[in-house]
């Protein structure tokens, strides 16, 4: 893959929220939030601040309404009095904006010292129109190279402990906790003020694009090291862990097939398959962003780089590539580019923590795509028959239980397994 400095990259907006919280987030479709209190331990008469990071995921103006609910009694039933500037706050956010809302609170007498006082925060939003385009990937995306706040302010925000506790399974209502320590300071007449500060706006994107554009050559050099030998095993481990965390544990053959289609996307698939180009891929653009954010990452172990920084982007590309490699081999219509794009976004949104586990997410098109590219992504010590045999076993167990739309997916799976086994026989690959 040659570096072409004249190519215009169109990177997605960076994950400012993740750069502050280390990845902790609650996703409400077009908005992501993280909630904390600073300091976590306070005294009677001493203010603390509820800190709420808001990250818009779409290219629309947004009206946001935030409501807070404070405790009125402690665990023993004693009265709790907490003063605050406002119980509800309304604000407007611009397309793709990221900001921090601070709401001061003060515990007052007769509140008794204690641990784990809950504060509930509800976030609701409205976009200007129904049809909005996502400008950030559901999992957050690449870190920012440009911020509209100083490093000093950024460090102060990073010192807040952000949590992702939701209340009663409702994502819109988040909970954070603070302690009141047995010490009272004299009450000073404080003017409690709510403040909102913008941390990143789409104006920053112009500078971000320039910095990212300047990294194309470096990214080409780094990407040459993303081969099946360096990335397949770490990606396999990550696939196994991520699906299990989302309540969909995989059979060994399934995990290998998904790791193979992701590895194929990172290694040479985007340059081999018609209609794709590695430099237009989401993972390559993310790599440029990552190197703009921290040039030292050029020297990072390639498997670690793929898993830590490129995984979600490579997963998106693997989905698009997976549809393309299986379409010529099946009778089903797998949709046009836009439908595949929407499906990929839905799958990634589920991966980022929203919605119920669905076996189709593993199979269409990831496992199926892995079956098609099995032979091209085989390590020297690996026999391609092993994965197919493991998949046959998983297929027999799964196919008995599937219903609805998944029946058609498993019909395709049976046909593709036959096709892949024939291909190995024709290539005279011996069984282990």
């Amino acid at each position: 893959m040659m570096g072409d400095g004249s190519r215009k990259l169109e990177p997605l907006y960076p994950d400012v929220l993740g750069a502050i919280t280390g990845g902790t987030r609650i996703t409400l479709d077009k908005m992501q939030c993280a909630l904390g209190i600073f300091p976590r331990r306070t005294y009677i008469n001493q203010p603390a601040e509820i800190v709420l990071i808001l990250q818009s995921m779409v290219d629309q103006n947004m009206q946001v309404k935030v409501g807070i609910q404070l405790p009125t009694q402690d665990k023993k039933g004693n009265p709790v009095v907490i003063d605050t500037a406002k119980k509800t706050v309304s604000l407007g956010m611009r397309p793709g904006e990221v900001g921090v809302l601070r709401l001061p609170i003060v515990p007052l007498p007769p509140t008794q010292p204690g641990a784990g006082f809950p504060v509930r925060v509800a976030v609701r939003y409205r976009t200007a129109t129904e049809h909005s385009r996502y400008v950030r990937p559901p999992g957050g995306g690449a870190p920012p190279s440009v911020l509209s706040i100083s490093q000093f302010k950024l460090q102060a925000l990073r010192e807040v402990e952000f949590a992702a506790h939701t209340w009663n399974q409702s994502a819109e209502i988040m909970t954070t906790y603070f302690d009141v320590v047995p010490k009272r300071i004299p009450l000073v007449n404080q003017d409690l003020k709510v403040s909102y500060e913008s941390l990143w706006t789409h104006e920053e994107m112009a500078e971000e694009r320039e910095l990212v554009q300047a990294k194309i050559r470096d990214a080409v050099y780094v990407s040459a090291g993303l081969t099946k030998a360096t990335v397949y095993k770490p990606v396999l481990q990550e696939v196994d862990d991520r699906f299990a965390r989302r309540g969909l544990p995989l059979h060994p053959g399934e995990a290998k097939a998904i790791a193979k289609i992701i590895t194929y996307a990172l290694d040479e698939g985007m340059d081999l398959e018609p209609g794709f180009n590695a430099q237009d891929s989401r993972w390559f653009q993310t790599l440029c962003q990552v190197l703009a954010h921290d040039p030292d990452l050029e020297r990072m172990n390639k498997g670690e780089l793929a898993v830590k920084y490129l995984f979600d982007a490579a997963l998106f590309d693997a989905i698009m590539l997976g549809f393309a490699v299986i379409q010529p081999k099946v009778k089903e219509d797998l949709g046009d580019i836009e439908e595949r794009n929407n499906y990929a976004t839905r799958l990634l949104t589920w991966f980022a923590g929203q919605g119920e586990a669905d076996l189709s997410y593993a199979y269409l098109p990831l496992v199926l795509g892995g079956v098609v590219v099995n032979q091209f992504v085989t390590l020297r010590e690996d026999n391609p028959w092993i994965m197919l045999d493991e998949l046959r076993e998983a297929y027999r167990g799964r196919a008995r239980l599937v219903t609805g739309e998944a029946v058609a997916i498993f019909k395709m799976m049976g046909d593709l397994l036959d096709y892949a086994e024939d291909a190995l026989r024709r290539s005279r690959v011996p069984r282990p």
Side-chain angles (χ1 to χ4, degrees):
M1 176 169 72
M2 288 305 294
D4 177 3
S6 66
R7 285 186 87 87
K8 276 281 173 263
L9 292 186
E10 271 307 320
L12 288 160
Y13 288 10
D15 181 19
V16 180
L17 181 147
I20 293 164
T21 70
T24 300
R25 75 189 74 229
I26 288 172
T27 302
L28 315 173
D29 192 18
K30 296 174 186 175
M31 164 78 79
Q32 290 186 333
C33 323
L35 178 67
I37 282 193
F38 193 82
R40 275 289 306 276
R41 309 179 72 204
T42 187
Y43 311 129
I44 300 290
N45 298 334
Q46 184 198 33
E49 260 184 344
I50 299 168
V51 182
L52 178 68
I53 311 261
L54 299 164
Q55 174 159 283
S56 164
M57 304 297 281
V58 293
D59 64 347
Q60 295 274 319
N61 285 327
M62 240 182 216
Q63 278 306 115
V64 183
K65 197 167 183 181
V66 178
I68 63 168
Q69 189 188 345
L70 299 163
T72 53
Q73 50 177 232
D74 62 20
K75 291 166 191 164
K76 295 177 185 155
N78 300 315
V80 169
V81 176
I82 296 173
D83 192 16
T84 182
K86 275 183 175 175
K87 290 277 181 71
T88 59
V89 179
S90 294
L91 56 109
M93 289 178 77
R94 286 178 293 166
E97 185 176 343
V98 186
V100 57
L101 181 68
R102 299 171 190 274
L103 300 139
I105 56 171
V106 184
L108 300 172
T111 308
Q112 300 294 309
F117 287 90
V119 173
R120 294 206 176 98
V121 175
V123 177
R124 302 214 160 61
Y125 65 83
R126 246 194 4 258
T127 48
T129 67
E130 271 308 295
H131 301 291
S132 36
R133 185 174 63 87
Y134 283 82
V135 290
R136 289 189 165 85
S145 311
V146 189
L147 281 172
S148 51
I149 54 163
S150 65
Q151 281 302 112
F152 172 72
K153 277 189 170 175
L154 180 64
Q155 196 44 49
L157 276 174
R158 283 183 174 147
E159 281 166 20
V160 179
E161 255 180 80
F162 289 97
H165 306 295
T166 53
W167 184 66
N168 258 2
Q169 288 354 105
S170 162
E172 286 104 33
I173 303 176
M174 295 160 272
T175 309
T176 183
Y177 300 88
F178 70 101
D179 304 340
V180 176
V181 215
K183 177 181 173 185
R184 182 183 294 205
I185 60 169
L187 180 62
V188 183
N189 190 12
Q190 291 159 1
D191 188 10
L192 300 181
K193 277 200 176 83
V194 172
S195 73
Y196 174 78
E197 182 176 17
S198 192
L199 305 175
W200 194 94
T201 65
H202 64 285
E203 275 91 49
E204 258 84 43
M205 202 58 202
E207 195 182 336
E208 188 91 36
R209 264 191 212 99
E210 269 175 49
L211 293 167
V212 168
Q213 194 74 26
K215 287 294 175 186
I216 292 182
R217 283 186 191 284
D218 294 350
V220 169
Y221 167 74
V222 171
S223 67
L226 297 170
T227 64
K228 57 192 176 196
T230 59
V231 304
Y232 172 68
K233 284 181 177 166
V235 164
L236 175 60
Q237 183 64 56
E238 187 71 5
V239 164
D240 224 14
D241 292 351
R242 291 264 206 127
F243 274 89
R245 281 208 300 272
R246 288 298 291 122
L248 197 59
L250 300 171
H251 289 284
E254 294 166 342
K256 285 177 186 171
I258 295 173
K260 284 196 175 192
I261 190 71
I262 295 173
T263 300
Y264 187 57
L266 284 165
D267 184 358
E268 54 186 5
M270 305 303 277
D271 283 327
L272 291 180
E273 297 299 331
F276 292 91
N277 178 303
Q279 285 192 28
D280 293 334
S281 69
R282 192 175 277 194
W283 72 254
F284 183 81
Q285 307 219 0
T286 303
L287 177 59
C288 293
Q289 284 178 284
V290 163
L291 296 177
H293 167 73
D294 183 357
D296 289 348
L297 293 173
E298 216 176 289
R299 294 186 287 282
M300 191 178 194
N301 168 291
K302 297 300 175 280
E304 211 179 313
L305 179 74
V307 162
K308 189 168 179 193
Y309 290 103
L310 307 179
F311 188 85
D312 280 16
L315 182 61
F316 176 88
D317 294 324
I319 293 166
M320 301 306 280
L321 205 56
F323 277 124
V325 298
I326 61 183
Q327 181 64 87
K329 297 179 171 52
V330 297
K331 295 184 186 73
E332 307 278 335
D333 174 10
L334 299 174
D336 60 21
I337 290 292
E338 196 182 341
E339 288 167 310
R340 293 175 187 185
N341 227 312
N342 292 340
Y343 178 83
T345 302
R346 200 162 76 237
L347 200 160
L348 283 167
T349 302
W350 168 74
F351 226 61
Q354 260 190 302
E356 297 301 309
D358 182 339
L359 189 59
S360 304
Y361 287 153
Y363 271 80
L364 186 69
L366 295 166
V367 171
L368 277 71
V371 172
V372 176
V373 305
N374 179 32
Q375 252 179 298
F376 313 129
V377 191
T378 300
L379 302 184
R380 215 174 279 135
E381 67 275 18
D382 187 21
N383 185 307
W385 278 104
I386 294 171
M387 184 189 94
L388 295 184
D389 290 344
E390 288 173 345
L391 274 175
R392 255 301 159 209
E393 195 182 323
Y395 167 73
R396 280 196 285 269
R398 299 270 201 204
R400 285 200 301 272
L401 304 171
V402 298
T403 55
E405 286 174 20
V407 173
I409 296 172
F410 274 79
K411 166 80 175 76
M412 287 192 274
M413 179 65 181
D415 295 345
L416 288 173
L417 280 173
D418 293 344
Y419 155 83
E421 288 166 358
D422 279 351
L424 290 186
R425 281 189 208 98
R426 281 199 306 276
S427 308
R428 296 198 162 81
V429 176
R431 274 186 175 279

